[in-house]
């Protein structure tokens, strides 16, 4: 059913983009009601506007906390356009309102910018959220614009249809209104919740439809603001699997973001190549050398801006996505020759403090594993202590193992991953896989180090590692049989350190 807008209530925080709307409303002969700063803004434009206070006969009180909360405002919004309700409006001299335009106080932005509780509390919108909900409830008669993000669409509608709206248009904006109000309430809840109230409440109101999910027969969507984290320079639309791999890549490179030039190559969320070197080109070459076969179609990530020489080397292989803090002009010129390859400039390496996923008939949530061990966390448990260079490699290997699927073993030499075994049902199988991969790519395992994501329940991994030439081991410890592996190291002249921190990844 078509409705023509004859009156509008405008009460917004942000005035940006509002001027052409009120001008158009004026041109259409719409009577405008407004409050506070919005009223002053419209008056300065020279457009007739009626103050809400003149309708209610009550001033704005309590430092502006109460302006629109009055039956003469909400009656005109909630009244159904039928005989009984219209008669009541007439009896109590309540004006009908056909359009409600609101832009809420920026609560989430305020929380992000200050810790001052008084400032945050004052940015909890009461009147605005009430106007949105009331107008959305009565969408059969009212058009509601719940955010400045909808200004452009409203202006287009006003110009093209001269203030006429359809039921479908009103219902669509009602849906957006309840999405905004629910997100707003969840943000406030999460601010107040110190963990004492156990309920899972998350709200991400930005979304994009993906080509498909993990497989073509599955649908997929991403909820969130990717533009906050990345600037997309070129390439095709990101897929579900791209996003999962990119998430893993960012988590890995976060470990090395302040280090010397480092490059990582990932495939199906696992790191198959990783190296730190004096130059980015060397880091790329040695990361690729770790497993040049798995690198095909992989996700590449660097902690430094891509220079022309490195770009030329990267361009020789097929990859899905390349992520870096920046790209030189010549590097972009080289890399953009292949139109489908995705180039992402990463704005920051921040990750969420909580991670969660749906399982069974619910959701599990946990603290994100943000623990990165340093030399101070290492406890030498063998007669022989690792050398300074071995400690460097052990910490490097530990970071690698942390981001590989369990059970996992990472073999490292000179800050380069030279073998990895992951996703295995036994730690022995993971080690054997790592050794096979290292030998397949012609690496010398003599004096390499080994990292495990969890403890060794038996000495078999130490025995196998020694036979391969590995001289130092890092593991969390914690098995009731830790001493068996320690004794095996001592008998073979190997060093072992324990961290006390397990890094399972499923």
């Amino acid at each position: 059913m078509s409705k023509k807008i004859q009156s509008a209530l405008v009460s917004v925080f942000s005035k940006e983009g509002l001027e052409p709307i009120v001008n158009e409303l004026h041109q259409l002969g719409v009577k405008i009601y407004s409050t506070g700063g919005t009223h002053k803004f419209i008056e300065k434009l020279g457009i007739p506007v009626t103050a809400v206070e003149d309708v209610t006969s009550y001033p704005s009180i309590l430092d502006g906390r109460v302006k629109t909360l009055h039956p003469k405002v909400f009656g005109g919004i909630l009244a159904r356009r039928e005989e009984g309700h219209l008669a009541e409006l007439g009896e109590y001299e309540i004006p009908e309102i056909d359009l409600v335009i609101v832009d809420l106080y920026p609560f989430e932005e305020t929380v992000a910018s200050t810790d001052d509780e008084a400032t945050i509390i004052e940015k909890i919108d009461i009147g605005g959220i009430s106007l949105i909900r009331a107008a959305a409830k009565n969408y059969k008669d009212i058009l509601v614009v719940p955010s400045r993000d909808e200004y452009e669409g409203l202006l287009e509608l006003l110009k093209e249809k001269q203030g006429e709206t359809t039921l479908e248009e009103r219902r669509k904006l009602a849906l957006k209104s309840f999405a905004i109000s629910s997100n707003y309430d969840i943000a406030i809840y999460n601010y107040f919740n110190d963990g004492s109230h156990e309920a899972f409440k998350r709200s991400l109101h930005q979304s994009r439809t993906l080509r498909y999910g993990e497989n073509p027969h599955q649908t997929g969507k991403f909820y969130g603001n990717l533009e906050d984290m990345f600037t997309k320079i070129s390439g095709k639309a990101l897929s579900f699997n791209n996003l999962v791999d990119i998430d893993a890549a960012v988590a890995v490179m976060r470990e090395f973001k302040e280090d010397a030039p480092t490059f990582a190559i990932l495939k199906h969320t696992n790191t198959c190549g990783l190296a730190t070197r004096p130059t980015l080109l060397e880091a790329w070459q040695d990361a690729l050398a770790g497993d040049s076969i798995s690198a095909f179609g992989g996700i590449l990530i660097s902690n430094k801006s891509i220079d022309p020489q490195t770009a030329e080397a990267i361009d020789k292989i097929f990859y899905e996505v390349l992520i870096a803090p920046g790209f030189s002009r010549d590097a972009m010129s080289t890399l953009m020759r292949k139109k489908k390859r995705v180039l992402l400039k990463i704005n920051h390496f921040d990750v969420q403090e909580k991670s969660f996923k749906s399982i069974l008939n619910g959701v599990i949530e946990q603290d994100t594993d943000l623990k990165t061990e340093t030399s101070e966390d290492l406890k030498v448990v063998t007669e022989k202590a690792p050398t300074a260079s071995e400690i460097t490699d052990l910490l490097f290997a530990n970071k690698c193992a942390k981001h590989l699927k369990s059970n996992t073993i990472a073999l490292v030499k000179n800050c380069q991953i030279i073998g990895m075994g992951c996703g295995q049902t036994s730690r022995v199988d993971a080690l054997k896989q790592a050794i096979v991969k290292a030998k397949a790519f012609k690496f010398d395992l003599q004096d390499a180090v080994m990292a495990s994501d969890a403890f060794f329940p038996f000495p078999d991994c130490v025995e196998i590692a020694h036979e391969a030439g590995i001289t130092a081991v890092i593991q969390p410890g914690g098995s009731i049989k830790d001493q068996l592996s320690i004794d095996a190291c001592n008998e073979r002249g190997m060093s072992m350190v324990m961290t006390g921190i397990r890094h399972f990844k499923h």
Side-chain angles (χ1 to χ4, degrees), residues 203-484:
S203 179
L204 299 169
H205 52 92
Q206 292 174 294
S207 69
R208 63 177 68 192
T209 300
L210 306 174
R211 295 198 304 273
Y212 50 80
E214 199 164 7
N215 298 292
H217 64 277
Q218 298 168 271
T219 59
K221 283 192 175 184
F222 173 79
Y223 295 94
N225 182 14
L226 274 180
E227 286 70 25
D228 174 64
M229 196 159 195
F230 301 104
T231 300
K232 186 179 178 185
I233 295 172
S234 66
K236 62 185 180 181
L238 293 169
S239 70
F240 181 98
N241 292 331
N242 287 157
L243 290 168
V244 172
D245 285 336
I246 289 168
D247 176 66
V250 171
V252 170
M253 196 51 66
R254 179 181 173 275
E255 307 280 357
F256 302 92
K257 63 181 180 179
E258 305 296 339
D259 291 3
T262 301
F263 230 110
I265 304 170
L266 288 88
K267 195 72 169 288
H268 297 298
T269 73
N270 287 305
T271 308
C272 56
L274 180 62
T276 297
R277 292 292 180 263
T279 69
L280 191 62
L281 178 59
E282 292 172 289
W284 161 250
Q285 291 169 335
D286 286 350
L288 181 61
D291 187 344
S292 56
I293 295 174
S294 296
F296 181 85
I299 306 294
L300 319 179
I301 188 167
S302 167
N303 67 344
K304 306 295 181 187
S305 294
I306 305 298
D307 56 66
Q309 295 77 18
T310 306
E312 289 288 350
I314 292 171
D315 198 50
K316 294 175 183 177
I317 77 159
F318 169 72
Y319 61 88
E320 286 276 339
V321 181
L322 171 58
I323 309 162
F327 298 82
S328 74
R329 182 172 298 179
D330 289 342
M332 282 196 293
S333 178
T334 297
L335 297 168
M336 289 173 67
R337 290 195 297 244
K338 296 184 173 75
K339 303 299 182 185
K340 291 186 178 181
R341 309 289 169 79
V342 178
L343 303 183
L344 296 178
K345 177 183 177 295
I346 187 166
N347 302 323
H348 59 80
F349 286 93
D350 298 338
V351 297
Q352 297 185 68
E353 293 182 359
K354 297 283 186 179
S355 54
F356 53 87
K357 62 181 178 180
S358 59
I359 64 163
L360 302 174
N361 62 344
V363 173
I364 52 174
E365 182 184 59
Q366 65 173 347
D367 296 334
T368 302
D369 187 356
L370 300 178
K371 173 65 177 175
T372 299
E373 287 75 40
T374 67
S375 57
E376 294 178 357
D377 297 306
L378 306 184
K379 179 183 178 182
V380 179
V381 293
T382 48
E383 295 167 358
K384 181 181 180 181
T387 64
S389 62
E390 284 178 329
I391 288 174
T392 299
D393 274 351
L394 287 168
L395 292 171
F396 187 99
N398 196 56
K399 292 177 182 178
C400 295
K402 173 183 172 181
H403 295 280
L404 292 167
K405 292 291 180 68
S406 301
N407 290 308
T408 188
I409 293 288
L411 305 180
V412 165
K413 188 174 181 179
N414 299 326
C415 292
Q416 176 190 21
I417 189 166
I418 60 175
M420 48 78 89
C422 60
Q424 299 301 305
T425 52
S426 83
R427 207 155 299 283
V428 170
D429 286 344
L431 175 55
K432 288 179 178 178
Q433 182 189 54
I435 292 171
V436 167
K437 286 181 75 71
K439 290 182 176 179
F441 291 100
K442 310 301 182 185
F443 286 107
D444 180 8
L445 285 168
Q446 189 61 47
D447 299 325
V449 307
M450 173 175 74
S452 174
D453 60 328
F455 62 64
F456 297 113
F458 304 104
D460 43 11
C461 283
V462 170
E463 295 163 359
I464 295 168
H466 177 258
E467 289 177 10
I470 292 161
T471 56
V473 181
I474 184 170
Q475 60 133 327
S479 169
I480 59 173
K481 296 182 179 180
D482 274 345
Q483 194 60 45
L484 295 178

Side-chain angles (χ1 to χ4, degrees), residues 55 71-77 88-96:
V55 175
K72 283 201 169 185
V73 174
F74 280 84
I77 295 171
E88 284 190 65
L89 293 186
E91 180 183 354
Y92 295 107
E93 299 180 335
I94 299 173
E96 295 178 37

